[in-house]
Amino acid sequence: MEDCLFCKIIHKEINSNIVFENDNVLIFKDISPQAPVHLLAVPKKHISSILEIEKLDSDIIKELMEAIARVALEMGLDKEGFRVVTNTGRGAGQSVDHLHFHIMGKRKFNWPPG
Ligand code: AMP
Ligand code: ZN
């Protein structure tokens, strides 16, 4: 997808700090971390948001969730709990229109979120 920041990161046209990669999934560090651990997990396929997931994407989404869990465990985030968030739409804070899950850990999280 032209002009999509995360597609450019996926295609290595823009540098990122990658912590996990396979054929369908990329997980990299957020450039502006809001927690001691703040990663972004994306499907390599351009999907604009959770609203655009199609039936055909179910294997990719499963892999994405499995990768999130694997990385969270590898980083020891399960010990004190961690948060996985996908903002959908501008009103909820989505600024990049490529489906991404924030993985945040190593600090206290409030509920409900602001
Ligand atoms: P959202 O606002 O939920 O759409 O999340 C987008 C996230 O992308 C924000 O947390 C940004 O800090 C992050 N971000 C923007 N540009 C980059 C970049 N070049 N590399 C890594 N993360 C980025
Ligand atoms: Zn994209």
Side-chain angles (χ1 to χ4, degrees), residues 29-66:
K29 291 187 179 173
D30 195 294
I31 205 169
S32 174
Q34 302 300 312
V37 174
H38 187 172
L39 311 173
L40 298 170
V42 301
K44 287 191 173 176
K45 177 181 174 186
H46 180 88
I47 300 171
S48 313
S49 79
I50 200 167
L51 295 172
E52 303 301 324
I53 295 171
E54 297 170 348
K55 256 202 177 134
L56 280 175
D57 301 325
S58 56
D59 286 349
I60 293 174
I61 299 304
K62 181 169 174 279
E63 266 189 58
L64 184 59
M65 292 300 137
E66 287 169 348

Side-chain angles (χ1 to χ4, degrees), residues 30 38-41 68 83-87 93 100-104:
D30 195 294
H38 187 172
L39 311 173
L40 298 170
I68 289 171
R83 190 160 283 176
V84 178
V85 177
T86 184
N87 297 322
H100 52 285
F101 290 87
H102 297 259
I103 307 167
M104 306 171 84

